[in-house]
Amino acid sequence: MAIDLGALPAPYLSFWRERHLCTLTTLRRDGSPHVVPVGVTYDPGERIARVIASGTSRKVAHVLAAAPAGARVAVCQVAGRHWATLEGRATVSAEPARVVDAERRYAERYGRNPRENPARVVIEIAVDRALGNVKEPAATAPRPAA
């Protein structure tokens, strides 16, 4: 279900701050999808999702092959019945300040610093579409004693 980017519900935003493994989907030159596990951070104020990556990775190559306008991509996360997807146009930056900012955001979300990687870049996704099914967690009823 599509979600208004200008009025993202609190549970949706919380879901993007919790520690979840995500996937990034890029397109190969032949149009087939390339899906890989990644860590993602999302800044709703800027509407930018960020993925740190090695500059030599296939995901980065796919984004760079799309020309200066960037590549159409999606990032997604799932936890049980809850899921959220952010779509947009991705570009790659090797600018040190942007990479450091992305590493800091990653450390905040995932509770650990990323490993050292002198070839690190950041994939920045200008988010233009949000999808998902994220609701407030249901109250857990106490289990009967066995």
Side-chain angles (χ1 to χ4, degrees), residues 30-139:
D30 67 2
S32 64
H34 177 253
V35 183
V36 293
V38 294
V40 176
T41 62
Y42 180 55
D43 182 331
E46 294 182 31
R47 293 189 183 171
I48 295 179
R50 293 173 176 87
V51 175
I52 56 175
S54 177
T56 60
S57 68
R58 293 305 314 149
K59 59 186 161 279
V60 168
H62 295 152
V63 173
L64 292 173
R72 190 84 188 148
V73 302
V75 288
C76 183
Q77 61 185 16
V78 177
R81 64 185 174 87
H82 300 291
W83 64 275
T85 299
L86 299 170
E87 297 178 6
R89 187 95 23 214
T91 56
V92 175
S93 176
E95 182 182 316
R98 293 171 95 104
V99 173
V100 167
D101 179 56
E103 290 171 331
R104 178 189 57 78
R105 292 169 187 269
Y106 176 95
E108 285 176 10
R109 181 172 188 197
Y110 291 97
R112 65 178 184 83
N113 290 321
R115 66 177 170 74
E116 283 293 316
N117 182 351
R120 179 163 290 132
V121 297
V122 58
I123 298 172
E124 296 176 322
I125 305 161
V127 175
D128 59 22
R129 188 170 187 203
L131 305 163
N133 182 23
V134 179
K135 309 250 189 295
E136 292 288 349

